[in-house]
Amino acid sequence: MRRLKFLFSGLLFATLLQAQETFHINGIGDKRDGCYAFTNATIVKDAQTTLTNATMVIRDGKIVSVGNGVAIPKDAVVVDCKDKYIYPSFIDIYTDYGMPQQRQQTGGFNFNAPAQLTSNQKGAYGWNQALRTDVHAYKMFTADDARAKPLREMGFGTVLSHQKDGILRGTGTVVTLANDADNFLIVKEKAAAHLSFNKGTSTQSYPSSLMGTIALLRQTYLDGQWYKNNPTATTEQGDGVNITLKYFNDQQSLPQIMDPSDRTGVELWNIMRADRVGDEFGVQYILKATGKEYQRIKEVAATKAPLIVGLNFPAAMDVEDPNDARLVSLADMKNWELAPTNPAAIEKAGISFALTAADVRDARTFMTNLRKAMEMGLSEKAAMEALTKTPATWLGVYDKVGSLDNGKMANFVITTGPVFAERTSILQNWVQGKKYAVNESNWYNVAGTYQLSITGANGTTAYTMDVKSNSAATVIAKDTVNATFNFDGKAVKFSFAPEKRSRNNIRFSGFSNGDSWNGTAEDAEGNRMTWTAKMSAAPVAKKDSASRMNTRGNLIGATMYPFTAFGAAENAIPTQGTYLIKNATVWTSEKEGKLEGTDVLVKGGKIARVGKNLSDAAATVIDGTGKHLTAGIIDEHSHIASASTNEGAQSVTSEVRMGDNLDPDDINIYRQLSGGVTTSHILHGSANTIGGQTQLIKLRWGTDDEGLKFKGADPFIKFALGENVKRTSSTSNNRFPDTRMGVEQVLTDAFSRAVAYEKAMKADPKGTRRDLELDALVEIMNKKRFITCHSYVQNEITATMRVAEKFGFRINTFTHILEGYKVADKMKEHGAAASTFSDWWAYKVEVTDAIPYNAFIMNKVGLNVAINSDDAEMARRLNQEAAKSVKYGGLTEEEALKMVTINPAKMLHVDDKVGSIKVGKDADLVLWSDHPLSIYAKAEKTMVDGIIYFDREKDAAMRKQVLAERMRLINKMVGEKRGGRPTMPATPSYKYVHTCLDHSHKLGMLEIEAEDIHADNQ
């Protein structure tokens, strides 16, 4: 006998016994192929093909035939699917199903703990233990039905699984969610290579930052290319096999899945960062989406990267208490409202995407959130393909799963209706021809309104019963009460108490006769009754997704640039204009000095003319009468607009780049524009002797991270001396150097290695491993990259200049330089500039000798001197900081102003473009209400490249708009709570404010109050 049948709850089941040919059988071999015919169903073969009243036959876990008029094999178990729908089971491309559970992931670098400087992985592996290319998910996979069950209940039958640990995570394997021996479940052993921006459980100190992670990835690609051509070449680490690089090269032919999320709070921009790394090495990543792509959908679409999109939408916050609401940023409130539009925005932008349940809090929210996304515009076709064909095609398994076609695995779900409809239930999920019950009690659809009649000793009583599903109902009696309800296709059982809080519960049992039921009942006192129920109305269908979207309003595109308070709608982004500033006091910062009653014409982003009585018919006239016009302020030492500041895990990290982790949404950009700043030099921190490559930016509020960059500027790098480097305050420091002498030796050793490296590259460029750390040092020696050096103490300053001279280069700028007045003559001879604080002292031991006359003395000796901030708040009043040298030393007002305009421009080698008011230069200008060195002066308009990015009148109007928008969203969230929908506690919004040593402070972003943000400077 080829069939084994048994009956349970009115449904036919079958047992399918499988065995691998190579496995020993302990007992009697009994191989059954399990043939089933599903008839009278609406079969959705794929997103384009739907068959009505169709039949599907499966045998031995595979689809044999599907269509209309299909012959039913004699040995088939027939399952009548009248009024049922059959869909391909879903595919989740981003899981760790069946993988060993990981210990809690580590955080960033800890300055107060001993550093693990080398890998603790034993064997012939690479140097960094976060590179785990040797991990292969198929070798680790173990089926776990407890973890598979919630995935099956969501409709999934196949997943791509990998170990979510490390920057390089090895390979993922495609498996089914059947409850069977592991060997039967693997569909494809090595289906994809996995990467991330999170080093995971690695305890090695490097990398400790986002930019360090990107640098490590970049170096690994180069190392992989080198190793491919030189597999046994001698390296600094030795010679022979490198398992990490071998597997890395082997995996390049696989789909590359990158998760760019990290803990910096700027995950959206990581999409673009990751894509740039891939583009640099000819790799197109499939990127795990952040959930915020709608905020910058044009930039995301421009990457042309496929996306894996999650559905973990934030819940409304409980902001009824104003003290809670004030701590939540407008951006977080807006994200709550707009996050469900993300999948639709991605579809509308033409981006290829798959959906994942990886981020949902529990299985019950996946389909709920998917329907919410569809209400917001996601089409049913796109949702279907994103859960079936698309992931299967990416992974090269569409010949096996992803649609209901002959020869494919019998992975499918049976539902009560269209799978994405709100009242639809998944009844069963069949995986590899094996049935898994989900909501079988709903197999027979009895939802509707029934007239219930109960007859007993006291006569007949009528009720209305609303049956919601095969397991839920309410009864309208004296009160509207909930009823327990169960229907198995024939027998019906339910119970309820006619009044709330009544203990006289009536229990009913009976049978179905089509659209009417009858049976007997008994109450709590033992009184027996008879009853009948007849359907009076079918359930009222809810509006479809399109209609509901129209009633709620299509929110796609309702974003801000940047996505924060004081961002602009897309149609209100400021653009370049032609402006004529009339009759202002113009501080040129040039030999012409200060010009009274002068006009300045701005055209095409440049200063076109400077003079009196100018005119231009196309220009917008700005009255400068009684006001002062200066060049935009330039901050030579800043840490704003960055996702991380220090890669402090090693003494030399010249390979890392601040340009890799810019944050264009940093509110400090806008705040500093309000203080007249137009250009900022974004520095690496001072945690190590040779830090990372710096990035000069213009404060173009609303642009993307690449748009911030000052194009054509010379590249710089950050060095550091003193206590921050040697870490005197850390009793557990084990990273060299530990003394000021050691700092000098680190510099000498690094450049000695760079000299040898340059010789080797010239002698054998193909055979020499390219080293990004040494590349930057070679650039310095060849005067193609320039140094700004964190410094305090005179003897270290002198020693550093000697090291530089020994290797044939110069220190471009000493920053902080609080003992610069002691060595100004030596600095002048060396050719160094000085970027200093105006009057900071006594905040640590090595600044004991700081004096407020420092800038004046260095200027008098003949050095190029600038005043910098190193602080997000101080940068907003650098004009006042410059003014202090008028008091301390008697500098002229024009000399003082030059310390924040043309002087830093010269230091940064951009004085041909910015720093003064001169025809042909960039129109980076500030119109002040008062004398620019006065504490009463306010920047009324701040212009960058001829674009007014800050306007004080507009700012006042925007504050009102921000307040109104906040109140609208608060009221909407309160409405969610009062409507009984889920809410979460109000969560304060934080922003990291970076300082030189990266003693970052998490501070609330109170945009509506625009409060000053202070951070301790080190």
Side-chain angles (χ1 to χ4, degrees):
M1 182 176 179
R2 295 181 60 80
R3 288 188 298 170
L4 177 65
K5 297 192 292 182
F6 59 93
L7 187 64
F8 179 73
S9 298
L11 298 179
L12 290 172
F13 292 78
T15 300
L16 175 62
L17 303 178
Q18 294 179 315
Q20 277 200 349
E21 300 292 340
T22 59
F23 277 42
H24 173 72
I25 298 173
N26 181 25
I28 298 172
D30 184 12
K31 184 177 179 180
R32 302 167 191 250
D33 56 15
C35 183
Y36 299 85
F38 301 87
T39 63
N40 304 315
T42 299
I43 299 179
V44 181
K45 292 182 64 178
D46 52 47
Q48 287 78 29
T49 310
T50 299
L51 307 175
T52 58
N53 196 29
T55 296
M56 181 172 69
V57 177
I58 69 171
R59 185 186 295 276
D60 198 18
K62 292 187 177 181
I63 298 171
V64 174
S65 56
V66 58
N68 300 106
V70 169
I72 300 174
K74 293 181 180 180
D75 63 340
V77 176
V78 178
V79 181
D80 185 1
C81 292
K82 187 177 185 299
D83 299 326
K84 307 297 183 296
Y85 285 67
I86 300 179
Y87 288 83
S89 294
F90 301 152
I91 302 167
D92 195 330
I93 199 171
Y94 197 81
T95 79
D96 59 358
Y97 168 68
M99 295 296 103
Q101 296 298 296
Q102 300 296 308
R103 65 183 185 273
Q104 188 172 357
Q105 294 184 338
T106 58
F109 184 75
N110 185 350
F111 284 93
N112 297 314
Q116 182 194 317
L117 300 173
T118 58
S119 173
N120 61 13
Q121 185 177 16
K122 304 299 183 185
Y125 298 96
W127 77 277
N128 194 284
Q129 69 189 58
L131 307 180
R132 309 199 65 193
T133 58
D134 57 297
V135 172
H136 301 292
Y138 82 95
K139 293 183 178 180
M140 308 165 65
F141 172 72
T142 302
D144 182 347
D145 201 54
R147 294 173 66 187
K149 187 173 184 289
L151 287 166
R152 290 196 301 260
E153 290 175 349
M154 287 186 268
F156 291 97
T158 308
V159 299
L160 174 66
S161 183
H162 75 285
Q163 184 168 273
K164 298 178 180 179
D165 184 23
I167 294 170
L168 299 181
R169 297 173 166 183
T171 61
T173 184
V174 178
V175 300
T176 72
L177 295 173
N179 183 18
D180 213 328
D182 301 340
N183 310 75
F184 294 114
L185 308 184
I186 296 176
V187 179
K188 189 173 185 179
E189 293 94 336
K190 296 181 181 180
H194 295 265
L195 310 87
S196 83
F197 278 173
N198 192 327
K199 71 178 184 180
T201 60
S202 170
T203 52
Q204 192 170 352
S205 52
Y206 185 92
S208 63
S209 66
L210 174 60
M211 57 184 166
T213 297
I214 293 173
L216 179 57
L217 271 175
R218 188 178 281 122
Q219 184 65 64
T220 302
Y221 276 107
L222 293 173
D223 287 350
Q225 293 169 1
W226 171 82
Y227 184 77
K228 186 176 182 179
N229 297 321
N230 302 272
T232 58
T234 301
T235 70
E236 290 181 7
Q237 291 75 32
D239 54 10
V241 173
N242 186 316
I243 296 173
T244 303
L245 294 179
K246 177 183 183 301
Y247 281 126
F248 177 77
N249 287 335
D250 291 346
Q251 292 160 18
Q252 293 309 299
S253 61
L254 298 174
Q256 305 287 303
I257 297 179
M258 159 67 81
D259 181 356
S261 62
D262 64 2
R263 296 185 176 89
T264 64
V266 294
E267 285 89 347
L268 169 60
W269 296 104
N270 286 358
I271 290 284
M272 278 63 85
R273 299 185 226 282
D275 186 70
R276 289 179 200 128
V277 173
D279 290 348
E280 188 175 343
F281 296 97
V283 178
Q284 181 59 73
Y285 294 135
I286 299 170
L287 294 170
K288 173 72 163 51
T290 66
K292 297 180 179 180
E293 284 66 32
Y294 68 91
Q295 296 175 12
R296 289 283 183 168
I297 196 65
K298 290 181 180 178
E299 289 87 344
V300 174
T303 68
K304 302 189 182 305
L307 298 179
I308 300 171
V309 180
L311 298 171
N312 184 22
F313 306 141
M317 295 188 198
D318 183 355
V319 290
E320 210 160 2
D321 185 339
N323 289 322
D324 292 334
R326 71 184 182 86
L327 297 176
V328 182
S329 71
L330 178 63
D332 283 351
M333 291 186 185
K334 289 285 286 183
N335 184 55
W336 161 72
E337 180 180 51
L338 295 178
T341 72
N342 196 51
I346 290 169
E347 178 190 357
K348 186 177 179 181
I351 300 169
S352 179
F353 70 99
L355 292 171
T356 178
D359 301 322
V360 296
R361 291 177 290 276
D362 60 63
R364 292 169 294 182
T365 63
F366 173 74
M367 195 59 76
T368 299
N369 285 354
L370 178 54
R371 289 166 183 151
K372 187 181 293 185
M374 296 176 75
E375 289 175 19
M376 294 298 179
L378 176 65
S379 72
E380 183 173 343
K381 176 179 178 293
M384 187 66 191
E385 290 202 336
L387 287 166
T388 54
K389 182 179 180 180
T390 298
T393 302
W394 289 353
L395 299 173
V397 293
Y398 191 56
D399 60 328
K400 297 181 177 67
V401 292
S403 67
L404 302 180
D405 290 303
N406 295 354
K408 291 191 176 183
M409 286 186 176
N411 287 10
F412 57 92
V413 293
I414 303 177
T415 68
T416 59
V419 70
F420 302 126
E422 187 159 355
R423 286 181 177 257
T424 293
S425 295
I426 295 175
L427 303 169
Q428 299 171 351
N429 192 344
W430 290 68
V431 184
Q432 290 184 261
K434 186 175 181 180
K435 190 205 71 167
Y436 297 90
V438 180
N439 291 302
E440 285 189 330
S441 61
N442 292 335
W443 184 274
Y444 296 97
N445 184 14
V446 292
T449 302
Y450 292 77
Q451 299 305 315
L452 173 64
S453 179
I454 306 173
T455 302
N458 296 324
T460 300
T461 307
Y463 299 97
T464 297
M465 182 162 62
D466 181 16
V467 178
K468 300 182 184 301
S469 69
N470 286 24
S471 58
T474 58
V475 176
I476 302 174
K478 183 174 181 180
D479 300 312
T480 298
V481 295
N482 291 326
T484 63
F485 188 87
N486 180 267
F487 179 67
D488 64 7
K490 186 64 178 176
V492 60
K493 295 180 181 180
F494 59 96
S495 66
F496 65 90
E499 299 180 23
K500 289 182 178 180
R501 292 179 294 278
S502 171
R503 296 185 178 180
N504 189 20
N505 199 51
I506 305 174
R507 297 183 299 259
F508 299 80
S509 62
F511 294 91
S512 169
N513 295 297
D515 60 355
S516 65
W517 306 327
N518 61 73
T520 60
E522 183 176 349
D523 65 14
E525 297 175 355
N527 299 312
R528 298 181 64 83
M529 296 157 273
T530 60
W531 64 275
T532 61
K534 187 172 181 64
M535 181 182 286
S536 59
V540 178
K542 292 192 175 183
K543 295 178 182 178
D544 61 23
S545 296
S547 298
R548 298 185 77 187
M549 182 188 72
N550 291 335
T551 59
R552 295 179 64 153
N554 188 349
L555 297 174
I556 298 174
T559 186
M560 307 171 291
Y561 298 89
F563 194 80
T564 183
F566 305 100
E570 187 170 13
N571 60 1
I573 296 172
T575 56
Q576 203 171 75
T578 299
Y579 299 100
L580 180 59
I581 304 166
K582 296 284 292 182
N583 199 35
T585 299
V586 178
W587 299 67
T588 67
S589 293
E590 289 282 344
K591 62 183 179 181
E592 291 81 5
K594 183 170 64 172
L595 305 175
E596 301 287 352
T598 300
D599 306 341
V600 174
L601 178 64
V602 171
K603 183 177 289 189
K606 301 290 183 180
I607 298 170
R609 294 176 65 191
V610 179
K612 295 181 182 294
N613 302 317
L614 302 182
S615 63
D616 188 304
T620 299
V621 177
I622 300 172
D623 186 6
T625 303
K627 299 174 183 178
H628 297 252
L629 187 71
T630 71
I633 288 174
I634 300 172
D635 190 354
E636 189 278 335
H637 187 138
S638 178
H639 299 290
I640 66 165
S642 59
S644 60
T645 294
N646 268 305
E647 179 48 67
Q650 298 176 164
S651 296
V652 179
T653 58
S654 47
E655 73 280 3
V656 307
R657 307 171 186 177
M658 293 302 299
D660 281 338
N661 74 165
L662 293 178
D663 175 14
D665 294 344
D666 185 357
I667 191 66
N668 286 300
I669 296 174
Y670 183 76
R671 288 172 173 162
Q672 291 187 14
L673 283 164
S674 76
V677 180
T678 57
T679 299
S680 292
H681 192 200
I682 311 305
L683 303 186
H684 185 277
S686 55
N688 37 9
T689 306
I690 300 179
Q693 300 170 29
T694 69
Q695 182 61 56
L696 191 64
I697 68 169
K698 285 200 177 189
L699 274 56
R700 302 179 179 111
W701 179 240
T703 188
D704 62 13
D705 54 343
E706 283 295 299
L708 287 177
K709 294 179 178 179
F710 196 129
K711 300 297 188 294
D714 281 348
F716 276 68
I717 191 169
K718 172 74 173 292
F719 282 21
L721 311 173
E723 294 187 18
N724 292 1
V725 176
K726 67 188 185 67
R727 301 180 182 175
T728 305
S729 60
S730 175
T731 57
S732 56
N733 177 45
N734 65 332
R735 190 203 72 184
F736 188 87
D738 215 20
T739 65
R740 297 182 193 274
M741 295 180 293
V743 173
E744 181 182 359
Q745 288 306 304
V746 167
L747 288 172
T748 300
D749 174 72
F751 282 101
S752 297
R753 289 188 289 116
V755 168
Y757 170 74
E758 185 178 27
K759 290 179 180 178
M761 287 294 288
K762 289 178 179 178
D764 184 12
K766 291 185 178 180
T768 302
R769 170 183 171 268
R770 187 177 167 198
D771 189 321
L772 294 175
E773 175 187 303
L774 297 178
D775 278 350
L777 303 186
V778 170
E779 289 175 350
I780 293 169
M781 293 190 299
N782 291 329
K783 300 178 177 60
K784 294 181 179 179
R785 183 172 297 278
F786 303 91
I787 299 166
T788 183
C789 185
H790 165 113
S791 55
Y792 289 97
V793 180
Q794 60 170 326
N795 58 356
E796 281 191 301
I797 296 165
T798 302
T800 302
M801 289 189 289
R802 288 171 180 164
V803 171
E805 290 164 2
K806 176 181 177 181
F807 289 95
F809 62 91
R810 296 292 184 270
I811 306 297
N812 187 91
T813 307
F814 282 101
T815 189
H816 303 326
I817 194 69
L818 294 187
E819 290 190 15
Y821 65 94
K822 298 181 181 180
V823 289
D825 55 342
K826 294 178 181 178
M827 289 171 60
K828 182 180 179 181
E829 182 181 351
H830 178 78
S835 181
T836 188
F837 299 132
S838 59
D839 60 352
W840 280 21
W841 59 77
Y843 52 89
K844 58 181 176 179
V845 173
E846 65 182 358
V847 298
T848 300
D849 286 354
I851 59 174
Y853 295 90
N854 186 42
F856 165 75
I857 294 172
M858 290 190 294
N859 182 75
K860 187 174 182 179
V861 170
L863 297 181
N864 180 23
V865 181
I867 302 294
N868 68 59
S869 75
D870 189 19
D871 179 76
E873 186 274 330
M874 181 186 283
R876 296 166 60 193
R877 47 185 173 83
L878 273 177
N879 59 318
Q880 297 173 29
E881 294 299 306
K884 291 176 181 178
S885 289
V886 177
K887 174 181 179 179
Y888 295 108
L891 279 184
T892 67
E893 292 176 348
E894 290 182 40
E895 286 176 321
L897 185 62
K898 286 181 179 181
M899 288 186 174
V900 291
T901 55
I902 192 63
N903 290 7
K906 290 177 179 177
M907 287 178 197
L908 296 166
H909 307 177
V910 290
D911 53 304
D912 60 329
K913 297 181 177 68
V914 294
S916 64
I917 298 178
K918 183 179 180 180
V919 172
K921 285 195 173 186
D922 296 349
D924 293 5
L925 303 169
V926 187
L927 186 65
W928 302 90
S929 62
D930 267 293
H931 190 298
L933 300 182
S934 168
I935 61 171
Y936 299 107
K938 295 180 180 179
E940 294 193 348
K941 288 180 173 59
T942 303
M943 184 183 296
V944 181
D945 299 324
I947 301 171
I948 299 175
Y949 282 102
F950 178 80
D951 183 295
R952 195 159 293 275
E953 289 184 6
K954 184 180 177 182
D955 176 75
M958 290 175 69
R959 289 171 186 267
K960 294 178 182 178
Q961 293 169 8
V962 169
L963 180 59
E965 182 69 348
R966 284 179 61 86
M967 292 309 301
R968 181 186 72 82
L969 289 165
I970 287 170
N971 290 334
K972 191 173 182 179
M973 286 187 178
V974 171
E976 291 285 302
K977 177 184 177 183
R978 293 179 179 175
R981 287 175 284 275
T983 60
M984 59 180 286
T987 305
S989 303
Y990 292 107
K991 176 67 183 178
Y992 279 103
V993 178
H994 297 285
T995 61
C996 200
L997 191 54
D998 205 11
H999 282 178
S1000 303
H1001 291 250
K1002 266 185 161 183
L1003 301 174
M1005 290 177 64
L1006 309 182
E1007 297 100 328
I1008 59 168
E1009 297 175 3
E1011 292 183 352
D1012 290 348
I1013 290 186
H1014 298 269
D1016 295 338
N1017 184 284
Q1018 296 291 327

